[in-house]
Short mmCIF file of all heavy atoms in Angstrom, two decimals:
data_model
loop_
_atom_site.label_atom_id
_atom_site.label_comp_id
_atom_site.label_asym_id
_atom_site.label_seq_id
_atom_site.Cartn_x
_atom_site.Cartn_y
_atom_site.Cartn_z
N MET A 1057 3.96 -10.98 3.09
CA MET A 1057 5.37 -10.61 2.60
C MET A 1057 5.42 -9.01 2.68
O MET A 1057 4.83 -8.32 1.96
CB MET A 1057 5.50 -11.13 1.24
CG MET A 1057 6.91 -10.76 0.63
SD MET A 1057 7.10 -10.99 -1.11
CE MET A 1057 5.72 -11.90 -1.62
N ASP A 1058 6.24 -8.50 3.62
CA ASP A 1058 6.34 -7.06 3.81
C ASP A 1058 7.37 -6.46 2.88
O ASP A 1058 7.27 -5.28 2.51
CB ASP A 1058 6.58 -6.71 5.25
CG ASP A 1058 5.47 -7.12 6.17
OD1 ASP A 1058 4.28 -7.02 5.77
OD2 ASP A 1058 5.63 -7.50 7.35
N GLN A 1059 8.44 -7.23 2.66
CA GLN A 1059 9.57 -6.75 1.80
C GLN A 1059 10.18 -7.95 1.08
O GLN A 1059 10.02 -9.06 1.55
CB GLN A 1059 10.52 -5.93 2.62
CG GLN A 1059 11.10 -6.62 3.85
CD GLN A 1059 12.19 -7.53 3.60
OE1 GLN A 1059 12.78 -7.47 2.58
NE2 GLN A 1059 12.45 -8.51 4.59
N VAL A 1060 10.91 -7.73 0.07
CA VAL A 1060 11.55 -8.81 -0.71
C VAL A 1060 13.13 -8.70 -0.63
O VAL A 1060 13.77 -9.45 -1.37
CB VAL A 1060 11.04 -8.90 -2.20
CG1 VAL A 1060 9.61 -9.33 -2.18
CG2 VAL A 1060 11.28 -7.60 -2.84
N GLY A 1061 13.60 -7.84 0.23
CA GLY A 1061 15.03 -7.60 0.29
C GLY A 1061 15.81 -8.88 0.69
O GLY A 1061 16.94 -8.97 0.42
N SER A 1062 15.18 -9.81 1.36
CA SER A 1062 15.83 -11.05 1.77
C SER A 1062 15.26 -12.17 1.05
O SER A 1062 15.42 -13.32 1.52
CB SER A 1062 15.66 -11.26 3.30
OG SER A 1062 16.06 -10.09 4.00
N GLY A 1063 14.55 -11.99 -0.03
CA GLY A 1063 13.85 -13.07 -0.68
C GLY A 1063 12.67 -13.55 0.20
O GLY A 1063 12.36 -13.01 1.32
N TYR A 1064 12.03 -14.64 -0.12
CA TYR A 1064 10.98 -15.15 0.74
C TYR A 1064 10.73 -16.63 0.37
O TYR A 1064 11.25 -17.20 -0.55
CB TYR A 1064 9.71 -14.32 0.46
CG TYR A 1064 9.16 -14.37 -0.92
CD1 TYR A 1064 8.23 -15.37 -1.40
CD2 TYR A 1064 9.72 -13.49 -1.91
CE1 TYR A 1064 7.80 -15.36 -2.64
CE2 TYR A 1064 9.31 -13.55 -3.17
CZ TYR A 1064 8.26 -14.50 -3.59
OH TYR A 1064 7.87 -14.45 -4.83
N GLY A 1065 9.98 -17.27 1.31
CA GLY A 1065 9.64 -18.64 1.07
C GLY A 1065 10.80 -19.66 1.34
O GLY A 1065 11.67 -19.24 2.08
N LEU A 1066 10.72 -20.72 0.74
CA LEU A 1066 11.70 -21.76 0.94
C LEU A 1066 13.17 -21.34 0.86
O LEU A 1066 14.02 -21.76 1.50
CB LEU A 1066 11.34 -22.97 0.06
CG LEU A 1066 12.16 -24.30 0.33
CD1 LEU A 1066 11.82 -24.76 1.66
CD2 LEU A 1066 11.72 -25.34 -0.76
N HIS A 1067 13.35 -20.56 -0.18
CA HIS A 1067 14.78 -20.08 -0.38
C HIS A 1067 14.98 -18.57 -0.01
O HIS A 1067 15.80 -17.93 -0.52
CB HIS A 1067 15.11 -20.17 -1.93
CG HIS A 1067 15.31 -21.70 -2.32
ND1 HIS A 1067 16.35 -22.42 -1.89
CD2 HIS A 1067 14.43 -22.56 -2.85
CE1 HIS A 1067 16.26 -23.70 -2.30
NE2 HIS A 1067 15.02 -23.73 -2.91
N GLY A 1068 14.23 -18.14 0.97
CA GLY A 1068 14.48 -16.90 1.57
C GLY A 1068 15.83 -16.87 2.28
O GLY A 1068 16.39 -17.96 2.46
N CYS A 1069 16.38 -15.70 2.36
CA CYS A 1069 17.70 -15.54 2.91
C CYS A 1069 17.90 -16.31 4.24
O CYS A 1069 17.36 -15.99 5.19
CB CYS A 1069 18.15 -14.16 3.01
SG CYS A 1069 19.78 -13.92 3.71
N ALA A 1070 18.85 -17.29 4.24
CA ALA A 1070 19.14 -18.10 5.41
C ALA A 1070 19.88 -17.18 6.52
O ALA A 1070 19.96 -17.53 7.72
CB ALA A 1070 19.98 -19.24 5.05
N GLY A 1071 20.51 -16.09 6.01
CA GLY A 1071 21.23 -15.28 6.93
C GLY A 1071 20.62 -13.91 7.35
O GLY A 1071 21.18 -13.09 7.90
N GLN A 1072 19.28 -13.86 7.08
CA GLN A 1072 18.58 -12.57 7.29
C GLN A 1072 18.52 -12.18 8.76
O GLN A 1072 18.66 -10.92 9.07
CB GLN A 1072 17.22 -12.52 6.66
CG GLN A 1072 16.22 -13.51 7.11
CD GLN A 1072 14.93 -13.45 6.41
OE1 GLN A 1072 14.19 -12.47 6.55
NE2 GLN A 1072 14.68 -14.42 5.50
N ARG A 1073 18.49 -13.09 9.67
CA ARG A 1073 18.47 -12.67 11.11
C ARG A 1073 19.74 -12.14 11.46
O ARG A 1073 19.91 -11.03 12.08
CB ARG A 1073 18.16 -13.88 12.01
CG ARG A 1073 16.63 -14.23 11.99
CD ARG A 1073 16.36 -15.37 12.92
NE ARG A 1073 14.97 -15.72 12.73
CZ ARG A 1073 14.04 -15.33 13.48
NH1 ARG A 1073 14.26 -14.56 14.50
NH2 ARG A 1073 12.72 -15.67 13.26
N LEU A 1074 20.97 -12.78 10.93
CA LEU A 1074 22.28 -12.27 11.25
C LEU A 1074 22.45 -10.91 10.61
O LEU A 1074 22.93 -9.97 11.19
CB LEU A 1074 23.35 -13.23 10.75
CG LEU A 1074 24.76 -12.78 10.78
CD1 LEU A 1074 25.23 -12.47 12.22
CD2 LEU A 1074 25.71 -13.81 10.18
N ALA A 1075 21.96 -10.78 9.35
CA ALA A 1075 22.16 -9.62 8.60
C ALA A 1075 21.41 -8.43 9.31
O ALA A 1075 21.86 -7.27 9.33
CB ALA A 1075 21.57 -9.68 7.18
N ARG A 1076 20.29 -8.66 9.85
CA ARG A 1076 19.46 -7.66 10.62
C ARG A 1076 20.24 -7.12 11.92
O ARG A 1076 20.25 -6.06 12.26
CB ARG A 1076 18.08 -8.12 10.96
CG ARG A 1076 17.24 -8.09 9.78
CD ARG A 1076 15.75 -8.40 10.01
NE ARG A 1076 15.08 -8.54 8.79
CZ ARG A 1076 14.10 -9.44 8.51
NH1 ARG A 1076 13.57 -10.10 9.49
NH2 ARG A 1076 13.58 -9.46 7.32
N ILE A 1077 20.74 -8.18 12.60
CA ILE A 1077 21.53 -7.88 13.83
C ILE A 1077 22.74 -7.01 13.48
O ILE A 1077 23.05 -6.02 14.14
CB ILE A 1077 22.02 -9.14 14.60
CG1 ILE A 1077 20.75 -9.93 15.16
CG2 ILE A 1077 22.97 -8.90 15.62
CD1 ILE A 1077 21.09 -11.31 15.60
N GLU A 1078 23.51 -7.36 12.33
CA GLU A 1078 24.61 -6.56 11.88
C GLU A 1078 24.22 -5.14 11.52
O GLU A 1078 24.83 -4.26 11.91
CB GLU A 1078 25.33 -7.25 10.73
CG GLU A 1078 26.02 -8.54 11.10
CD GLU A 1078 26.56 -9.29 9.92
OE1 GLU A 1078 26.02 -9.06 8.73
OE2 GLU A 1078 27.48 -10.13 10.06
N ALA A 1079 23.08 -5.04 10.73
CA ALA A 1079 22.69 -3.75 10.28
C ALA A 1079 22.28 -2.88 11.51
O ALA A 1079 22.58 -1.69 11.57
CB ALA A 1079 21.45 -3.85 9.36
N GLN A 1080 21.61 -3.50 12.49
CA GLN A 1080 21.23 -2.72 13.66
C GLN A 1080 22.40 -2.28 14.44
O GLN A 1080 22.45 -1.10 14.90
CB GLN A 1080 20.29 -3.61 14.54
CG GLN A 1080 19.72 -2.73 15.71
CD GLN A 1080 18.53 -3.57 16.41
OE1 GLN A 1080 18.45 -4.71 16.29
NE2 GLN A 1080 17.78 -2.83 17.22
N ALA A 1081 23.47 -3.10 14.52
CA ALA A 1081 24.67 -2.80 15.27
C ALA A 1081 25.38 -1.54 14.52
O ALA A 1081 25.90 -0.65 15.14
CB ALA A 1081 25.64 -3.88 15.30
N ILE A 1082 25.35 -1.68 13.25
CA ILE A 1082 26.10 -0.63 12.40
C ILE A 1082 25.40 0.75 12.52
O ILE A 1082 25.96 1.79 12.82
CB ILE A 1082 26.12 -1.01 10.90
CG1 ILE A 1082 27.14 -2.18 10.67
CG2 ILE A 1082 26.47 0.16 9.99
CD1 ILE A 1082 26.99 -2.82 9.31
N PHE A 1083 23.97 0.77 12.39
CA PHE A 1083 23.31 2.02 12.46
C PHE A 1083 23.31 2.57 13.95
O PHE A 1083 23.34 3.80 14.08
CB PHE A 1083 21.90 1.92 11.90
CG PHE A 1083 21.82 1.76 10.41
CD1 PHE A 1083 21.44 0.67 9.77
CD2 PHE A 1083 22.25 2.94 9.70
CE1 PHE A 1083 21.55 0.63 8.34
CE2 PHE A 1083 22.32 2.77 8.32
CZ PHE A 1083 21.95 1.69 7.66
N THR A 1084 23.31 1.70 14.93
CA THR A 1084 23.40 2.17 16.31
C THR A 1084 24.76 2.88 16.56
O THR A 1084 24.78 3.90 17.14
CB THR A 1084 23.24 0.99 17.32
OG1 THR A 1084 21.91 0.36 17.08
CG2 THR A 1084 23.23 1.46 18.75
N ALA A 1085 25.81 2.24 16.08
CA ALA A 1085 27.14 2.83 16.18
C ALA A 1085 27.28 4.13 15.47
O ALA A 1085 27.87 5.04 15.93
CB ALA A 1085 28.22 1.83 15.75
N LEU A 1086 26.67 4.20 14.22
CA LEU A 1086 26.73 5.46 13.46
C LEU A 1086 25.92 6.54 14.14
O LEU A 1086 26.41 7.67 14.17
CB LEU A 1086 25.97 5.19 12.12
CG LEU A 1086 26.85 4.92 10.90
CD1 LEU A 1086 26.03 4.71 9.66
CD2 LEU A 1086 27.81 6.03 10.60
N LEU A 1087 24.77 6.27 14.72
CA LEU A 1087 24.01 7.31 15.38
C LEU A 1087 24.70 7.88 16.58
O LEU A 1087 24.50 9.08 16.88
CB LEU A 1087 22.68 6.66 15.92
CG LEU A 1087 21.60 6.51 14.81
CD1 LEU A 1087 20.41 5.68 15.43
CD2 LEU A 1087 21.14 7.83 14.31
N ASP A 1088 25.62 7.08 17.17
CA ASP A 1088 26.42 7.66 18.29
C ASP A 1088 27.50 8.59 17.76
O ASP A 1088 27.94 9.46 18.57
CB ASP A 1088 27.16 6.48 19.08
CG ASP A 1088 26.25 5.71 19.91
OD1 ASP A 1088 25.14 6.15 20.14
OD2 ASP A 1088 26.62 4.56 20.25
N ARG A 1089 27.95 8.49 16.55
CA ARG A 1089 29.09 9.26 16.11
C ARG A 1089 28.77 10.32 15.04
O ARG A 1089 29.61 11.14 14.73
CB ARG A 1089 30.10 8.25 15.43
CG ARG A 1089 30.74 7.27 16.45
CD ARG A 1089 31.45 6.25 15.71
NE ARG A 1089 32.04 5.32 16.71
CZ ARG A 1089 31.47 4.41 17.38
NH1 ARG A 1089 30.16 4.15 17.24
NH2 ARG A 1089 32.10 3.58 18.21
N VAL A 1090 27.60 10.19 14.42
CA VAL A 1090 27.26 11.05 13.26
C VAL A 1090 26.05 11.94 13.45
O VAL A 1090 25.06 11.48 14.04
CB VAL A 1090 27.03 10.10 12.07
CG1 VAL A 1090 26.46 10.78 10.93
CG2 VAL A 1090 28.36 9.49 11.61
N ASP A 1091 26.20 13.20 13.10
CA ASP A 1091 25.00 14.09 13.18
C ASP A 1091 24.21 14.05 11.91
O ASP A 1091 22.96 14.10 12.04
CB ASP A 1091 25.52 15.59 13.29
CG ASP A 1091 25.47 16.07 14.71
OD1 ASP A 1091 24.81 15.43 15.53
OD2 ASP A 1091 26.17 17.04 15.10
N ARG A 1092 24.81 14.05 10.75
CA ARG A 1092 24.04 14.21 9.58
C ARG A 1092 24.67 13.32 8.45
O ARG A 1092 25.85 13.24 8.33
CB ARG A 1092 23.87 15.63 9.00
CG ARG A 1092 22.89 16.36 9.79
CD ARG A 1092 22.39 17.61 8.94
NE ARG A 1092 23.46 18.25 8.12
CZ ARG A 1092 24.01 19.37 8.58
NH1 ARG A 1092 23.71 19.92 9.70
NH2 ARG A 1092 24.96 19.86 7.81
N ILE A 1093 23.85 12.66 7.62
CA ILE A 1093 24.31 12.05 6.44
C ILE A 1093 23.49 12.60 5.27
O ILE A 1093 22.23 12.53 5.26
CB ILE A 1093 24.12 10.53 6.48
CG1 ILE A 1093 24.93 9.94 7.63
CG2 ILE A 1093 24.67 9.81 5.16
CD1 ILE A 1093 24.70 8.39 7.82
N GLU A 1094 24.18 13.32 4.36
CA GLU A 1094 23.41 13.97 3.21
C GLU A 1094 23.84 13.49 1.86
O GLU A 1094 25.02 13.15 1.67
CB GLU A 1094 23.64 15.51 3.29
CG GLU A 1094 22.99 16.10 4.54
CD GLU A 1094 23.57 17.49 4.61
OE1 GLU A 1094 24.77 17.69 4.97
OE2 GLU A 1094 22.76 18.40 4.59
N LEU A 1095 22.95 13.41 0.97
CA LEU A 1095 23.25 13.00 -0.44
C LEU A 1095 24.19 14.07 -1.06
O LEU A 1095 23.96 15.22 -0.90
CB LEU A 1095 21.96 12.87 -1.19
CG LEU A 1095 22.02 12.09 -2.43
CD1 LEU A 1095 22.30 10.63 -2.18
CD2 LEU A 1095 20.58 12.10 -3.16
N ALA A 1096 25.25 13.69 -1.56
CA ALA A 1096 26.33 14.57 -2.13
C ALA A 1096 26.40 14.45 -3.67
O ALA A 1096 27.20 15.11 -4.26
CB ALA A 1096 27.69 14.21 -1.53
N GLY A 1097 25.47 13.70 -4.25
CA GLY A 1097 25.48 13.66 -5.65
C GLY A 1097 24.50 12.59 -6.16
O GLY A 1097 23.86 11.92 -5.28
N PRO A 1098 24.35 12.48 -7.39
CA PRO A 1098 23.31 11.50 -7.94
C PRO A 1098 23.71 10.01 -7.61
O PRO A 1098 24.89 9.72 -7.80
CB PRO A 1098 23.26 11.76 -9.44
CG PRO A 1098 24.50 12.51 -9.76
CD PRO A 1098 24.98 13.13 -8.56
N PRO A 1099 22.85 9.26 -7.24
CA PRO A 1099 23.09 7.76 -6.97
C PRO A 1099 23.49 7.16 -8.27
O PRO A 1099 22.96 7.44 -9.36
CB PRO A 1099 21.84 7.25 -6.43
CG PRO A 1099 20.93 8.36 -6.00
CD PRO A 1099 21.46 9.47 -6.81
N GLY A 1100 24.47 6.23 -8.30
CA GLY A 1100 24.83 5.54 -9.54
C GLY A 1100 24.00 4.25 -9.59
O GLY A 1100 24.18 3.39 -8.82
N ARG A 1101 23.15 4.24 -10.53
CA ARG A 1101 22.23 3.05 -10.64
C ARG A 1101 23.00 1.87 -11.24
O ARG A 1101 23.81 2.01 -12.15
CB ARG A 1101 20.99 3.31 -11.59
CG ARG A 1101 20.30 4.57 -11.18
CD ARG A 1101 19.04 4.18 -10.35
NE ARG A 1101 18.35 5.33 -9.95
CZ ARG A 1101 17.88 5.48 -8.74
NH1 ARG A 1101 17.98 4.61 -7.81
NH2 ARG A 1101 17.30 6.60 -8.40
N HIS A 1102 22.69 0.71 -10.65
CA HIS A 1102 23.23 -0.57 -11.17
C HIS A 1102 22.16 -1.23 -12.06
O HIS A 1102 21.07 -1.47 -11.69
CB HIS A 1102 23.58 -1.46 -9.98
CG HIS A 1102 24.12 -2.77 -10.46
ND1 HIS A 1102 25.36 -3.01 -10.74
CD2 HIS A 1102 23.45 -4.01 -10.64
CE1 HIS A 1102 25.58 -4.25 -11.06
NE2 HIS A 1102 24.43 -4.92 -11.01
N LEU A 1103 22.56 -1.27 -13.29
CA LEU A 1103 21.49 -1.79 -14.30
C LEU A 1103 21.49 -3.29 -14.31
O LEU A 1103 22.51 -4.03 -14.49
CB LEU A 1103 21.81 -1.32 -15.73
CG LEU A 1103 21.68 0.14 -15.91
CD1 LEU A 1103 22.07 0.58 -17.34
CD2 LEU A 1103 20.30 0.63 -15.58
N ASN A 1104 20.36 -3.89 -13.95
CA ASN A 1104 20.14 -5.33 -13.87
C ASN A 1104 18.70 -5.59 -14.02
O ASN A 1104 17.85 -4.94 -13.46
CB ASN A 1104 20.66 -5.78 -12.49
CG ASN A 1104 20.52 -7.28 -12.33
OD1 ASN A 1104 19.52 -7.90 -12.50
ND2 ASN A 1104 21.68 -7.91 -11.91
N ASN A 1105 18.38 -6.61 -14.89
CA ASN A 1105 16.86 -6.81 -15.14
C ASN A 1105 16.14 -7.52 -14.00
O ASN A 1105 14.91 -7.49 -13.99
CB ASN A 1105 16.71 -7.73 -16.37
CG ASN A 1105 17.10 -6.95 -17.67
OD1 ASN A 1105 16.96 -5.73 -17.69
ND2 ASN A 1105 17.46 -7.65 -18.68
N VAL A 1106 16.90 -8.04 -13.02
CA VAL A 1106 16.29 -8.80 -11.97
C VAL A 1106 16.28 -8.08 -10.67
O VAL A 1106 15.34 -7.91 -9.91
CB VAL A 1106 17.03 -10.12 -11.83
CG1 VAL A 1106 16.32 -10.99 -10.69
CG2 VAL A 1106 16.93 -10.93 -13.08
N ILE A 1107 17.46 -7.43 -10.35
CA ILE A 1107 17.65 -6.91 -8.99
C ILE A 1107 17.94 -5.44 -9.14
O ILE A 1107 18.78 -5.00 -9.97
CB ILE A 1107 18.79 -7.60 -8.28
CG1 ILE A 1107 18.55 -9.06 -8.04
CG2 ILE A 1107 19.09 -6.90 -6.88
CD1 ILE A 1107 19.73 -9.85 -7.59
N ARG A 1108 17.26 -4.56 -8.41
CA ARG A 1108 17.60 -3.14 -8.38
C ARG A 1108 18.75 -2.91 -7.37
O ARG A 1108 18.79 -3.52 -6.34
CB ARG A 1108 16.35 -2.33 -7.89
CG ARG A 1108 15.20 -2.39 -8.84
CD ARG A 1108 14.21 -1.43 -8.41
NE ARG A 1108 12.97 -1.73 -9.12
CZ ARG A 1108 11.84 -1.00 -8.98
NH1 ARG A 1108 11.83 0.12 -8.17
NH2 ARG A 1108 10.76 -1.30 -9.57
N GLY A 1109 19.57 -2.04 -7.82
CA GLY A 1109 20.71 -1.71 -6.84
C GLY A 1109 21.53 -0.51 -7.25
O GLY A 1109 21.18 0.10 -8.32
N LEU A 1110 22.45 -0.18 -6.48
CA LEU A 1110 23.31 0.97 -6.71
C LEU A 1110 24.79 0.61 -6.79
O LEU A 1110 25.20 -0.21 -6.13
CB LEU A 1110 23.11 2.07 -5.60
CG LEU A 1110 21.77 2.57 -5.33
CD1 LEU A 1110 21.78 3.47 -4.11
CD2 LEU A 1110 21.18 3.31 -6.56
N ASP A 1111 25.48 1.27 -7.71
CA ASP A 1111 26.89 1.04 -7.79
C ASP A 1111 27.61 2.02 -6.89
O ASP A 1111 28.70 1.67 -6.32
CB ASP A 1111 27.38 1.25 -9.26
CG ASP A 1111 27.23 0.05 -10.08
OD1 ASP A 1111 27.28 -1.06 -9.55
OD2 ASP A 1111 27.01 0.23 -11.35
N SER A 1112 27.04 3.16 -6.71
CA SER A 1112 27.61 4.15 -5.82
C SER A 1112 26.46 5.10 -5.15
O SER A 1112 25.39 5.14 -5.78
CB SER A 1112 28.56 5.08 -6.56
OG SER A 1112 27.86 5.74 -7.58
N LEU A 1113 26.73 5.57 -4.05
CA LEU A 1113 25.79 6.55 -3.39
C LEU A 1113 26.62 7.54 -2.72
O LEU A 1113 27.02 7.33 -1.43
CB LEU A 1113 24.93 5.73 -2.37
CG LEU A 1113 23.86 6.57 -1.72
CD1 LEU A 1113 22.87 7.04 -2.59
CD2 LEU A 1113 23.11 5.75 -0.61
N PRO A 1114 27.03 8.62 -3.34
CA PRO A 1114 27.90 9.64 -2.71
C PRO A 1114 27.20 10.32 -1.59
O PRO A 1114 26.11 10.91 -1.80
CB PRO A 1114 28.27 10.60 -3.89
CG PRO A 1114 27.48 10.12 -5.04
CD PRO A 1114 26.64 8.91 -4.67
N VAL A 1115 27.76 10.34 -0.37
CA VAL A 1115 27.19 11.05 0.75
C VAL A 1115 28.27 11.86 1.53
O VAL A 1115 29.41 11.62 1.39
CB VAL A 1115 26.54 10.04 1.80
CG1 VAL A 1115 25.40 9.35 1.27
CG2 VAL A 1115 27.57 9.05 2.21
N THR A 1116 27.72 12.91 2.19
CA THR A 1116 28.60 13.70 3.02
C THR A 1116 28.21 13.30 4.42
O THR A 1116 27.00 13.44 4.78
CB THR A 1116 28.39 15.16 2.80
OG1 THR A 1116 28.73 15.51 1.48
CG2 THR A 1116 29.32 16.06 3.69
N VAL A 1117 29.18 12.94 5.25
CA VAL A 1117 28.93 12.48 6.64
C VAL A 1117 29.44 13.62 7.53
O VAL A 1117 30.64 13.99 7.51
CB VAL A 1117 29.57 11.16 7.01
CG1 VAL A 1117 29.36 10.78 8.44
CG2 VAL A 1117 29.06 10.12 5.98
N THR A 1118 28.66 14.19 8.37
CA THR A 1118 29.00 15.15 9.34
C THR A 1118 29.06 14.48 10.76
O THR A 1118 28.09 14.03 11.25
CB THR A 1118 28.00 16.32 9.48
OG1 THR A 1118 27.77 16.83 8.13
CG2 THR A 1118 28.49 17.42 10.31
N THR A 1119 30.32 14.46 11.24
CA THR A 1119 30.49 13.74 12.50
C THR A 1119 30.05 14.58 13.68
O THR A 1119 30.02 15.77 13.67
CB THR A 1119 32.03 13.34 12.78
OG1 THR A 1119 32.78 14.50 12.61
CG2 THR A 1119 32.42 12.29 11.67
N ARG A 1120 29.65 13.93 14.78
CA ARG A 1120 29.19 14.62 15.92
C ARG A 1120 30.34 15.26 16.70
O ARG A 1120 31.35 14.60 16.88
CB ARG A 1120 28.46 13.61 16.82
CG ARG A 1120 27.91 14.14 18.07
CD ARG A 1120 26.88 13.27 18.64
NE ARG A 1120 25.71 13.17 17.79
CZ ARG A 1120 24.66 12.37 17.95
NH1 ARG A 1120 24.65 11.57 18.90
NH2 ARG A 1120 23.66 12.36 17.16
N ARG A 1121 30.21 16.49 17.06
CA ARG A 1121 31.23 17.13 17.85
C ARG A 1121 31.14 16.69 19.33
O ARG A 1121 29.99 16.60 19.89
CB ARG A 1121 31.01 18.71 17.83
CG ARG A 1121 31.26 19.32 16.52
CD ARG A 1121 31.13 20.79 16.56
NE ARG A 1121 31.08 21.29 15.22
CZ ARG A 1121 32.13 21.60 14.43
NH1 ARG A 1121 33.29 21.44 14.91
NH2 ARG A 1121 31.99 22.12 13.23
N VAL A 1122 32.26 16.41 19.93
CA VAL A 1122 32.24 15.97 21.32
C VAL A 1122 32.80 17.01 22.24
O VAL A 1122 33.34 18.01 21.89
CB VAL A 1122 33.08 14.69 21.50
CG1 VAL A 1122 32.30 13.49 21.09
CG2 VAL A 1122 34.44 14.72 20.82
C1 HEM B 332 22.04 -7.39 3.92
C2 HEM B 332 22.49 -8.67 3.82
C3 HEM B 332 21.81 -9.71 2.95
C4 HEM B 332 20.89 -9.57 2.01
C5 HEM B 332 20.20 -8.28 1.46
C6 HEM B 332 20.49 -10.90 1.57
C7 HEM B 332 19.71 -11.23 0.52
C8 HEM B 332 19.31 -12.48 0.11
C9 HEM B 332 18.33 -12.79 -0.86
C10 HEM B 332 17.51 -11.79 -1.60
C11 HEM B 332 18.32 -14.17 -0.96
C12 HEM B 332 17.26 -14.92 -1.83
C13 HEM B 332 17.91 -15.26 -3.17
C14 HEM B 332 16.86 -16.03 -4.06
O1 HEM B 332 15.64 -15.76 -4.00
O2 HEM B 332 17.32 -16.91 -4.77
C15 HEM B 332 19.26 -14.71 -0.08
C16 HEM B 332 19.55 -16.05 0.04
C17 HEM B 332 20.52 -16.55 0.91
N1 HEM B 332 21.25 -15.86 1.83
FE1 HEM B 332 21.22 -13.82 2.06
N2 HEM B 332 21.34 -11.78 2.28
C18 HEM B 332 22.11 -11.14 3.18
C19 HEM B 332 22.95 -11.70 4.11
C20 HEM B 332 23.23 -12.96 4.28
C21 HEM B 332 24.08 -13.56 5.29
C22 HEM B 332 24.82 -12.69 6.37
C23 HEM B 332 24.12 -14.86 5.08
C24 HEM B 332 24.87 -15.90 5.85
C25 HEM B 332 25.50 -15.80 7.02
C26 HEM B 332 23.25 -15.18 4.04
C27 HEM B 332 22.96 -16.43 3.51
C28 HEM B 332 22.10 -16.75 2.44
C29 HEM B 332 21.79 -18.08 2.01
C30 HEM B 332 22.48 -19.39 2.48
C31 HEM B 332 20.81 -18.01 1.04
C32 HEM B 332 20.21 -19.12 0.19
C33 HEM B 332 19.00 -19.64 0.81
C34 HEM B 332 18.31 -20.80 -0.02
O3 HEM B 332 18.46 -20.70 -1.20
O4 HEM B 332 17.73 -21.67 0.60
N3 HEM B 332 22.73 -14.01 3.54
N4 HEM B 332 19.92 -13.65 0.57
#
């Protein structure tokens, strides 16, 4: 088990292959258009006893000049 982001075992995420294809398409498209993504403030933590997550992640996106 390398990571638990998709769960694992019998009830591991049934959509993880699709989710990976989608994530790859999004980051590939972003890389074509964006030079830098920088943290613009403290991440807003989502408090949950079971799952770690964020409510917000402020970033500054610098687009690529064409
Ligand atoms: C980044 C996107 C996604 C993440 C991080 C994610 C994460 C997870 C996790 C952690 C579980 C396991 C929950 C548990 O252990 O009880 C799960 C289950 C599941 N996911 Fe996803 N998921 C994503 C996208 C999707 C997509 C796109 C689909 C469907 C098209 C999907 C369908 C399911 C289903 C049906 C289960 C239940 C599997 C079962 O209980 O047998 N997920 N997901």
Side-chain angles (χ1 to χ4, degrees):
M1057 181 191 351
D1058 295 324
Q1059 51 86 17
V1060 292
S1062 308
Y1064 60 94
L1066 191 58
H1067 289 286
C1069 179
Q1072 61 185 286
R1073 282 177 188 267
L1074 172 62
R1076 284 185 189 150
I1077 291 167
E1078 289 174 340
Q1080 189 168 14
I1082 288 165
F1083 285 114
T1084 302
L1086 260 180
L1087 282 173
D1088 285 344
R1089 295 165 177 77
V1090 165
D1091 258 343
R1092 282 204 319 263
I1093 301 176
E1094 295 166 293
L1095 201 58
R1101 303 261 178 228
H1102 178 84
L1103 295 178
N1104 183 307
N1105 286 336
V1106 180
I1107 298 171
R1108 293 187 197 186
L1110 300 175
D1111 279 329
S1112 62
L1113 184 65
V1115 293
T1116 302
V1117 177
T1118 308
T1119 53
R1120 181 163 291 174
R1121 291 181 195 277
V1122 281

